[in-house]
Amino acid sequence: MPRELEALLGDLVIANRILAHEGVLDDFGHVAVRHPERADRFFVSRARAPELVTRDDLLEFTLDGVPVDPKGLRPYLESVLHGRIFAARPDVQATAHHHCPAVLPFTVTDVPLRPVFHMASVLGGPVPMWDSRDEFGDTNMLIDDVPRGDSLARALGGGTSVLLRNHGATCAAQSLPAVVFVCVRMKDNAELQTRAMGMGAVRYLSEGETRMASEMLMGERQLDRGWKYWRARAGFGGI
Amino acid sequence: MPRELEALLGDLVIANRILAHEGVLDDFGHVAVRHPERADRFFVSRARAPELVTRDDLLEFTLDGVPVDPKGLRPYLESVLHGRIFAARPDVQATAHHHCPAVLPFTVTDVPLRPVFHMASVLGGPVPMWDSRDEFGDTNMLIDDVPRGDSLARALGGGTSVLLRNHGATCAAQSLPAVVFVCVRMKDNAELQTRAMGMGAVRYLSEGETRMASEMLMGERQLDRGWKYWRARAGFGGI
Amino acid sequence: MPRELEALLGDLVIANRILAHEGVLDDFGHVAVRHPERADRFFVSRARAPELVTRDDLLEFTLDGVPVDPKGLRPYLESVLHGRIFAARPDVQATAHHHCPAVLPFTVTDVPLRPVFHMASVLGGPVPMWDSRDEFGDTNMLIDDVPRGDSLARALGGGTSVLLRNHGATCAAQSLPAVVFVCVRMKDNAELQTRAMGMGAVRYLSEGETRMASEMLMGERQLDRGWKYWRARAGFGGI
Amino acid sequence: MPRELEALLGDLVIANRILAHEGVLDDFGHVAVRHPERADRFFVSRARAPELVTRDDLLEFTLDGVPVDPKGLRPYLESVLHGRIFAARPDVQATAHHHCPAVLPFTVTDVPLRPVFHMASVLGGPVPMWDSRDEFGDTNMLIDDVPRGDSLARALGGGTSVLLRNHGATCAAQSLPAVVFVCVRMKDNAELQTRAMGMGAVRYLSEGETRMASEMLMGERQLDRGWKYWRARAGFGGI
């Protein structure tokens, strides 16, 4: 296996551990990365809590969510949702699906989740909401087939994040450090917005501030600072 | 002692540690399991904080809450409550009684605790409330005899959980991994519902969503993912 | 030094560590115990964060807050407050003064802190408030002389706890395990009451429930369960 | 290098770790100290998460935010903000800039952050707010040049702290232990004020109490207690 791919899969393990350690993922949720040489393939763990994921748990999938070689392991029921985002968004190289407790209140109320401090400008603006009932009626809430995955990808549109009604959220970005950054800032912003709304009228970032701060933060320089910090906190050493 | 029983009692120790580690139990509260070969017996620790419980602390009880062999150890004053639920509910193999801080606000107000995201569909619907005053007037709040235990079991009915007014909650399910799952989701749902209610009108799961999501989650496949995750977090290794 | 006294001072170190570990004390606050053989003397650490207190930091004081032998160490400015409570309350053997974050909101508003679940019945009823301004006007807020200490002791009366306006709280009980229990339940109750008040009308314990539950909890049997649990969590082993 | 300077830089590393450990700094934010022998120079880490900062990361800057010898390392984009405060405030020897989650709600609402308990008297009174839009319109929110730094220093005035609209806060004091104390109390006060405002009308410290308590707390004796406690918690041993 080429060295570049090996390094990327190592980073995918680290991204699992980071998002578990930072309270974005718990026993459920997952993070995926596109194959660096085959745009029609992606990697995600077999069905396992992200905090426990190791290199041997990673499986390769087609964009329809079919494991290329299941190796006798059980995949996540919702693996396909990553594939359909990779299919719809050539610019996206990494995705995460989570039930972050701080974010969930925005999925069960009509309060829009909006960037309220500069670090959360990476959300890009008010986060859209996908409601499984609109197209599929009562379900077990999972996004476990291609039509549901395509529907979710449409709701995500060209952005970095989408909420799932009474369920969770999905994030997408240009790299694993970028998607981790978006997930953590979605959490931070949700915490902040909830607290601030309890105190009084909330002042949001302007469109210009959102655009300019996001451009600065989504550059390699800032993403690298976050990635190294969270990696160390998750037990993967410094530097 | 048969190997199956030994393994089950090992899991009972682990369930104690998990529920302590996840913030469901503290110095008080307990978790119990029915004897796998004698439906009229169950096991629970002697009086001890769950985080400290070891194999040697486990005692066997009749369904009236009488220790079969006390071994000179002091039982929990409320051991009997588990027995009366096992007596009333042949389908239940594991029970937990706790004062989870996140859940308590729902025992001191008239706000119904209701499944608000798919993972908490295992609560089954609005959680009923048992009030010790209804049948017993002013007491020290404990469920320490058969009549109180039977009264609580009636309030639980055929469900997975019941609230105790100004006191705590009790959960019941088909296995230790299942009762741990219900307890953790009761906690998660309480946190989420409290936060969301502070933000605006809350959208709950529909009855169909509750039923379909719960069926999916209470299957062995999902319960196993949670159990392995929480077990590892509580210090009992992976796989 | 007699063995009983040595054991008690060992427990005083442990009580410091427990209250730091459980989030009652931080860089400030202190816990004291009466001399078991001289009712006119008590022990408290030199000025040091409770999490760092060791046996060698403990100093003996008269009830006027004067160190019997300062050993060249700097005492807490507020040591005297413990002495004045020991002077006023022959039944009290242990005291704690803290700025627990969960409790502080009740010192800066007019909301009474009241037992809202059975474990907090040990507060005995609505907790009285001492306001330094009533007798002493604008001060640096410390209780650092005999008149202030006596004033605080009057506000405490015959109870287990008293709030200090815009400052913190002081607890008193019959033993170190008992005062630790009161402090932790004061914290738990404050958290619970704050959350519940944000949700709707709050139902408190009745007077009968408060009295009966408190009698049960302040017995050696229950206090011992808490003490062993918190002691283990603070790093002092099981049993 | 003189021993005094070496010790100070060791303390700067410790201050980074303390503020990270206490939840004031995360992947972003920084703490700086003035050169003890050259009032026109200061030290701050290269661009790196404070929890990971070591002695080798520290760089020396002019008060215009220019590294004296960059050593090939990348500085924080906002290093200059510390320089402009040192330029405007000869009494200030240490500064910190942070996005503390507890404090942020006060930057996105019009609620004034005010000392509400004696330990937070070191804020000195209602904390002023600096709004980047007032002089600079829509920006990427950073304070990365001299004019922005000077503008912020004017908003800080003669106080210990200033809020940055939709961004964070900056603190300044006479030493590293003092600026750490101010940061932690700003966090504590923000948490407390937020909770208390949700419960009812809030009673603040009087001006006299603020002045007298602050004088007492900003003395070496109290600062030393906090510093030793936080240093130990951050992994730098007792004393």
Side-chain angles (χ1 to χ4, degrees):
Chain A
M1 185 171 284
R3 179 171 299 191
E4 189 201 353
L5 177 56
E6 258 322 303
L8 188 70
L9 296 182
D11 281 353
L12 180 54
V13 171
I14 291 172
N16 271 274
R17 305 294 187 89
I18 287 174
L19 290 175
H21 190 267
E22 299 300 328
V24 173
L25 302 173
D26 51 11
D27 46 333
F28 286 79
H30 12 91
V31 51
V33 72
R34 195 195 291 268
H35 194 305
E37 287 148 29
R38 293 201 54 170
D40 62 339
R41 297 280 174 83
F42 72 97
F43 296 90
V44 71
S45 171
R46 65 162 166 139
R48 195 171 198 198
E51 190 166 302
L52 306 180
V53 165
T54 65
R55 172 67 187 83
D56 291 341
D57 296 313
L58 303 182
L59 296 176
E60 186 174 344
F61 290 82
T62 69
L63 299 191
D64 287 342
V66 179
V68 175
D69 170 7
K71 305 181 190 172
L73 303 177
R74 216 157 46 180
Y76 292 121
L77 295 173
E78 292 178 308
S79 303
V80 67
L81 81 83
H82 301 282
R84 301 323 298 161
I85 293 172
F86 289 126
R89 289 281 299 277
D91 60 311
V92 163
Q93 305 304 321
T95 49
H97 170 61
H98 62 82
H99 314 148
C100 178
V103 173
L104 282 167
F106 293 87
T107 75
V108 307
T109 60
D110 284 328
V111 177
L113 182 66
R114 283 182 61 182
V116 71
F117 78 130
H118 68 318
M119 302 301 294
S121 57
V122 297
L123 296 176
V127 180
M129 170 92 79
W130 179 75
D131 187 341
S132 51
R133 256 182 231 149
D134 289 346
E135 288 183 57
F136 306 98
D138 273 3
T139 65
N140 68 1
M141 312 289 287
L142 297 188
I143 297 140
D144 55 4
D145 62 16
V146 169
R148 285 168 173 75
D150 284 340
S151 176
L152 177 68
R154 281 192 297 274
L156 172 65
T160 59
S161 48
V162 58
L163 297 170
L164 285 66
R165 197 260 309 153
N166 291 64
H167 176 152
T170 298
C171 299
Q174 80 267 24
S175 66
L176 284 167
V179 83
V180 164
F181 196 95
V182 171
C183 285
V184 175
R185 294 317 169 200
M186 177 183 252
K187 176 191 169 188
D188 292 345
N189 195 80
E191 293 272 11
L192 169 54
Q193 198 179 333
T194 299
R195 280 196 190 209
M197 286 174 54
M199 287 169 49
V202 175
R203 216 174 7 235
Y204 295 90
L205 293 187
S206 72
E207 282 189 28
E209 288 173 339
T210 302
R211 192 186 64 251
M212 283 186 272
S214 180
E215 270 170 25
M216 179 264 297
L217 290 167
M218 291 297 260
E220 199 191 332
R221 178 172 178 164
Q222 309 298 345
L223 293 177
D224 186 59
R225 191 180 337 164
W227 178 259
K228 283 181 177 154
Y229 168 64
W230 292 313
R231 193 174 74 175
R233 280 162 62 90
F236 289 88
I239 296 302
Chain B
M1 184 171 285
R3 180 171 299 192
E4 188 200 353
L5 178 56
E6 259 322 303
L8 187 70
L9 297 182
D11 281 353
L12 180 54
V13 170
I14 292 172
N16 270 275
R17 304 293 187 90
I18 287 174
L19 291 175
H21 189 267
E22 299 299 328
V24 173
L25 302 173
D26 49 12
D27 46 333
F28 286 80
H30 13 90
V31 52
V33 72
R34 195 195 292 268
H35 194 304
E37 287 147 29
R38 292 201 54 171
D40 61 339
R41 296 280 174 83
F42 72 97
F43 296 90
V44 71
S45 171
R46 66 162 165 139
R48 194 173 200 196
E51 191 166 301
L52 306 180
V53 164
T54 65
R55 172 67 187 84
D56 292 340
D57 296 313
L58 303 182
L59 296 175
E60 186 174 345
F61 289 83
T62 70
L63 300 192
D64 287 343
V66 180
V68 175
D69 171 7
K71 304 180 190 172
L73 304 176
R74 218 157 45 180
Y76 292 122
L77 295 173
E78 291 179 307
S79 303
V80 67
L81 82 82
H82 301 282
R84 302 323 297 162
I85 293 172
F86 289 126
R89 288 281 300 277
D91 60 312
V92 163
Q93 305 303 321
T95 49
H97 169 61
H98 62 81
H99 314 148
C100 178
V103 173
L104 281 167
F106 294 87
T107 75
V108 307
T109 61
D110 284 328
V111 177
L113 181 67
R114 282 184 61 183
V116 71
F117 79 130
H118 68 317
M119 303 301 293
S121 58
V122 297
L123 296 176
V127 180
M129 169 91 80
W130 179 74
D131 187 341
S132 51
R133 256 182 231 149
D134 289 346
E135 289 183 58
F136 306 99
D138 272 2
T139 66
N140 69 1
M141 312 290 288
L142 298 187
I143 297 140
D144 55 4
D145 63 17
V146 169
R148 285 166 173 75
D150 284 340
S151 176
L152 177 68
R154 282 192 297 274
L156 172 66
T160 59
S161 48
V162 59
L163 297 171
L164 285 66
R165 196 260 310 153
N166 291 63
H167 176 153
T170 298
C171 298
Q174 80 268 23
S175 66
L176 284 167
V179 83
V180 164
F181 196 94
V182 171
C183 285
V184 175
R185 294 317 169 201
M186 176 182 253
K187 176 192 169 187
D188 291 345
N189 196 80
E191 292 272 10
L192 169 53
Q193 197 179 333
T194 299
R195 280 194 189 211
M197 285 174 55
M199 287 170 49
V202 176
R203 215 172 9 234
Y204 296 90
L205 294 186
S206 72
E207 282 189 28
E209 287 174 339
T210 302
R211 192 185 64 251
M212 283 186 272
S214 180
E215 270 170 24
M216 179 265 295
L217 290 167
M218 291 298 261
E220 199 191 331
R221 178 172 178 165
Q222 310 297 345
L223 293 177
D224 186 58
R225 191 178 339 163
W227 178 260
K228 281 180 179 154
Y229 168 64
W230 292 313
R231 194 175 74 176
R233 281 163 59 91
F236 289 89
I239 295 303
Chain C
M1 186 172 285
R3 179 170 300 192
E4 189 201 352
L5 177 56
E6 258 323 302
L8 187 71
L9 297 182
D11 281 353
L12 180 54
V13 170
I14 292 172
N16 270 275
R17 305 294 188 88
I18 286 174
L19 290 175
H21 190 267
E22 299 301 327
V24 173
L25 301 174
D26 49 12
D27 45 333
F28 286 79
H30 13 91
V31 51
V33 71
R34 195 195 292 266
H35 195 304
E37 287 148 28
R38 292 200 54 170
D40 61 339
R41 296 280 174 83
F42 72 96
F43 295 90
V44 71
S45 171
R46 65 162 166 141
R48 196 172 198 195
E51 191 166 301
L52 305 180
V53 165
T54 65
R55 173 65 187 85
D56 292 340
D57 295 314
L58 303 182
L59 296 176
E60 186 174 343
F61 290 83
T62 69
L63 299 192
D64 286 341
V66 179
V68 176
D69 170 8
K71 303 180 192 173
L73 304 176
R74 216 155 47 179
Y76 291 122
L77 295 174
E78 291 178 307
S79 303
V80 66
L81 81 81
H82 301 283
R84 301 324 296 162
I85 294 172
F86 288 126
R89 289 280 300 278
D91 60 311
V92 163
Q93 306 302 320
T95 49
H97 170 62
H98 61 81
H99 314 147
C100 178
V103 173
L104 281 168
F106 293 87
T107 75
V108 307
T109 60
D110 283 328
V111 177
L113 181 67
R114 282 183 59 182
V116 71
F117 79 130
H118 68 318
M119 302 301 292
S121 57
V122 296
L123 296 177
V127 180
M129 170 92 79
W130 180 76
D131 187 340
S132 50
R133 255 183 232 148
D134 289 345
E135 289 184 57
F136 306 99
D138 272 3
T139 66
N140 68 1
M141 312 290 286
L142 298 187
I143 296 140
D144 55 5
D145 62 16
V146 168
R148 284 166 172 77
D150 284 339
S151 176
L152 177 68
R154 282 191 297 274
L156 172 65
T160 59
S161 47
V162 59
L163 297 171
L164 285 65
R165 197 258 312 153
N166 291 62
H167 176 153
T170 298
C171 298
Q174 80 268 24
S175 67
L176 283 168
V179 83
V180 164
F181 197 94
V182 171
C183 285
V184 175
R185 293 318 170 201
M186 177 182 253
K187 176 192 169 187
D188 292 346
N189 196 81
E191 292 272 11
L192 169 52
Q193 197 178 333
T194 299
R195 281 193 189 211
M197 285 175 54
M199 287 169 50
V202 176
R203 215 170 12 233
Y204 296 89
L205 293 187
S206 73
E207 282 189 29
E209 288 173 340
T210 302
R211 193 185 63 251
M212 283 186 273
S214 179
E215 270 171 25
M216 179 263 296
L217 289 167
M218 290 298 261
E220 199 191 333
R221 178 172 178 164
Q222 310 297 346
L223 293 177
D224 186 59
R225 193 183 332 166
W227 177 260
K228 281 180 178 155
Y229 168 63
W230 291 312
R231 194 175 74 173
R233 281 164 60 91
F236 289 88
I239 293 303
Chain D
M1 186 172 283
R3 179 169 298 192
E4 189 201 352
L5 177 56
E6 260 322 303
L8 187 69
L9 297 182
D11 280 354
L12 180 54
V13 170
I14 292 172
N16 271 273
R17 305 294 187 87
I18 287 174
L19 291 175
H21 190 267
E22 299 300 328
V24 173
L25 301 174
D26 50 12
D27 46 332
F28 286 79
H30 12 92
V31 52
V33 72
R34 194 195 293 267
H35 195 304
E37 287 148 28
R38 293 200 53 171
D40 61 340
R41 297 281 174 84
F42 72 96
F43 296 89
V44 71
S45 171
R46 65 164 167 138
R48 195 172 199 197
E51 191 166 301
L52 306 180
V53 165
T54 65
R55 173 64 187 85
D56 291 340
D57 296 314
L58 303 183
L59 295 176
E60 186 174 344
F61 289 83
T62 69
L63 299 191
D64 286 343
V66 179
V68 175
D69 171 7
K71 303 182 191 172
L73 304 176
R74 216 156 46 181
Y76 292 121
L77 296 173
E78 291 178 308
S79 303
V80 67
L81 81 81
H82 300 283
R84 301 323 297 161
I85 293 172
F86 288 127
R89 289 280 300 276
D91 60 312
V92 163
Q93 306 303 321
T95 49
H97 170 62
H98 61 81
H99 314 148
C100 178
V103 173
L104 281 167
F106 293 88
T107 75
V108 308
T109 60
D110 284 327
V111 177
L113 182 67
R114 282 182 61 182
V116 71
F117 78 130
H118 68 317
M119 302 301 293
S121 57
V122 297
L123 296 177
V127 180
M129 170 93 79
W130 179 76
D131 187 340
S132 50
R133 256 182 231 148
D134 289 346
E135 290 183 56
F136 306 99
D138 272 3
T139 66
N140 69 0
M141 311 291 286
L142 298 187
I143 296 140
D144 55 5
D145 61 16
V146 169
R148 284 166 173 77
D150 284 340
S151 176
L152 177 68
R154 282 192 297 274
L156 172 65
T160 59
S161 48
V162 59
L163 297 171
L164 285 66
R165 196 261 310 154
N166 291 62
H167 177 151
T170 298
C171 299
Q174 80 268 24
S175 67
L176 284 167
V179 83
V180 164
F181 196 95
V182 170
C183 286
V184 175
R185 293 318 169 201
M186 176 183 252
K187 176 192 169 188
D188 292 346
N189 196 80
E191 293 273 11
L192 169 53
Q193 197 179 334
T194 299
R195 280 194 189 209
M197 285 175 54
M199 287 169 50
V202 176
R203 216 173 7 234
Y204 296 90
L205 293 187
S206 72
E207 282 189 29
E209 287 173 339
T210 303
R211 192 186 63 249
M212 282 186 272
S214 179
E215 269 170 26
M216 179 264 297
L217 289 167
M218 290 298 261
E220 199 192 333
R221 179 171 178 164
Q222 309 297 345
L223 293 177
D224 185 59
R225 191 180 338 164
W227 176 260
K228 282 181 177 154
Y229 168 63
W230 292 313
R231 193 174 74 174
R233 280 163 62 91
F236 288 89
I239 292 301

